[in-house]
């Protein structure tokens, strides 16, 4: 079954990247609009210099992916690399063509399609690169909402665009696109909701060691099955929905028979990013 999950994730990343590239080349770029994140920066540079936006997108994401490789989980970065590479390829294959006549429609529906594609990547444990990775790295050092960081970074890009081209209409349309994409992403994948995972397992040492490689604490609680009478351990860890796909992957790999209960956490007191037990 492992290969089925792997194949499903690969296909999801490819399809998500296709949607992102379609939204760029068919709805945003023909009107000179920006998407959010590093893709928006690559578009802005491409508009000003006439460079290939697809290759600029890859070039700007490359150092961020390398940074993330040393700061985030390898699985997250691996899938993000797949997403960025396939998006770059789709951007070369899909022609830049205006399919709607109104820039407002381009901004709204471009945001919807790009947000849906990015959300699919995030839901399967990767990302479309860029500001998602930067924000994730920052939030592992500071307990700040990922969405807020991305919004601030995108706001800076929009202000720079308006100032450089002196076309504030395009800048405002771009902000609509970014806002729409962010809302769609939040529907598909809630970026910054804390959850608590209760994992009942017999593979305590393996799971504990692997989970402690992440920037989250783990508490071990001795349990006894009421029906079976078996002694087991329950690992409790608080994480975010943004990192939940990585946690699921760890549990399924090391103990497919583990019982896992995941509940939304209203709030956390204490050192959320320090080992708890």
């Amino acid at each position: 079954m492992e290969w089925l999950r792997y194949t499903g994730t690969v296909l999801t990343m490819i399809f998500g990247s296709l949607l992102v590239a379609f939204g760029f080349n068919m709805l945003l770029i023909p009107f000179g609009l920006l998407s959010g994140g590093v893709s928006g920066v690559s578009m802005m540079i491409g508009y000003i210099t006439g460079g290939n936006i697809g290759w600029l997108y890859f070039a700007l994401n490359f150092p961020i992916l390398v940074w993330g490789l040393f700061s985030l989980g390898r699985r997250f970065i691996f899938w993000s690399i797949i997403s960025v590479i396939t998006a770059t390829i789709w951007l070369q294959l899909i022609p830049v063509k205006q399919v709607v006549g109104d820039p407002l429609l381009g901004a709204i529906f471009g945001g919807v399609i790009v947000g849906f594609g990015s959300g699919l990547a995030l839901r399967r444990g990767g990302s479309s690169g860029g500001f998602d990775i930067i924000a994730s790295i920052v939030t592992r050092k500071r307990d700040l909402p990922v969405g807020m960081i991305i919004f601030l970074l995108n706001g800076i890009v929009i202000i720079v665009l308006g100032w450089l081209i002196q076309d504030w209409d395009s800048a405002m349309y771009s902000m609509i696109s970014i806002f729409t994409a962010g809302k769609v992403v939040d529907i598909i994948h809630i970026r910054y909701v804390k959850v608590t995972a209760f994992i009942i397992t017999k593979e305590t040492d393996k799971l504990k060691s692997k989970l402690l490689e992440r920037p989250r604490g783990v508490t071990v609680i001795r349990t006894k099955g009421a029906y079976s009478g078996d002694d087991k351990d329950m690992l409790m860890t608080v994480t975010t929905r943004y990192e939940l796909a990585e946690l699921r992957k760890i549990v399924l790999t090391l103990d497919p028979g583990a019982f896992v209960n995941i509940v939304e956490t209203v709030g956390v007191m204490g050192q959320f990013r320090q080992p708890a037990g």
Side-chain angles (χ1 to χ4, degrees):
M1 294 300 292
E2 177 67 23
W3 70 271
L4 283 176
R5 286 195 296 270
Y6 182 86
T7 302
T9 302
V10 171
L11 292 176
T12 300
M13 293 297 169
I14 293 173
F15 180 65
S17 298
L18 171 62
L19 292 178
V20 169
F22 179 87
F24 287 175
N25 283 1
M26 294 289 191
L27 293 164
L28 298 181
I29 293 176
F31 292 105
L33 305 181
L34 299 183
S35 178
V38 168
S39 58
V41 177
S42 64
M43 288 176 178
M44 184 167 57
I45 295 174
Y47 296 153
I48 295 171
T49 66
N52 184 292
I53 291 174
W55 291 118
L56 286 167
Y57 171 78
F58 178 80
L60 292 176
N61 268 296
F62 181 77
I64 297 173
L65 290 167
V66 173
W67 181 23
L69 188 63
F70 293 98
S71 303
L72 303 174
R74 290 185 179 181
R75 179 177 183 275
F76 175 73
I77 294 300
F78 172 76
W79 291 122
S80 299
I81 290 172
I82 296 296
S83 180
V84 169
I85 290 175
T86 53
T88 302
I89 295 171
W90 285 124
L91 284 167
Q92 307 309 313
L93 297 177
I94 298 174
V96 176
K97 182 180 179 181
Q98 183 176 320
V99 295
V100 296
D102 188 340
L104 180 59
L105 289 176
I108 294 173
F109 285 97
V112 169
I113 293 173
V114 170
F116 192 79
S118 299
L120 287 177
L122 287 167
R123 192 174 183 87
R124 294 306 293 256
S127 78
S128 54
F131 287 177
D132 284 337
I133 294 175
I134 294 173
S136 187
I137 292 172
V138 171
T139 56
R140 292 198 174 194
K141 304 296 183 182
R142 297 286 186 272
D143 193 14
L144 299 171
V146 175
M148 182 188 73
I149 296 171
I150 292 174
F151 179 79
L152 290 174
L153 293 173
N154 285 333
I156 293 171
V157 173
I158 293 299
I159 291 171
V160 171
L161 172 69
W163 179 73
L164 287 175
I165 67 175
Q166 291 299 303
D167 183 356
W168 292 103
D169 285 349
S170 293
M172 294 302 101
Y173 282 132
S174 296
M175 184 60 79
I176 292 173
S177 172
I178 292 170
F179 178 81
T180 304
K183 287 299 181 182
V184 173
V185 167
D186 284 342
I187 292 171
I188 299 173
H189 177 89
I190 300 173
R191 280 187 175 126
Y192 198 77
V193 173
K194 294 183 180 68
V195 296
T196 300
F198 299 94
I199 308 165
I200 299 176
T201 179
K202 288 185 176 180
E203 301 291 345
T204 303
D205 292 337
K206 290 181 181 179
L207 277 172
K208 183 177 67 174
S209 298
K210 190 66 177 178
L211 291 173
L212 285 174
E213 293 178 5
R214 304 163 67 250
R216 307 296 178 207
V218 179
T219 299
V220 181
I221 304 169
R222 293 294 296 170
T223 63
K224 188 179 186 69
Y227 177 77
S228 65
D230 292 341
D231 291 324
K232 293 185 179 181
D233 289 324
M234 181 170 69
L235 307 183
M236 184 188 76
T237 183
V238 179
T239 185
T240 67
R241 282 288 300 273
Y242 195 76
E243 302 163 314
L244 195 52
E246 181 186 358
L247 185 144
R248 284 197 183 104
K249 174 69 174 180
I250 292 171
V251 175
L252 288 172
T253 300
L254 298 180
D255 187 4
F259 176 82
V260 184
N261 181 28
I262 300 170
V263 297
E264 187 171 324
T265 302
V266 175
V268 175
M269 296 177 65
Q271 295 180 324
F272 174 50
R273 302 186 181 280
Q274 299 299 323

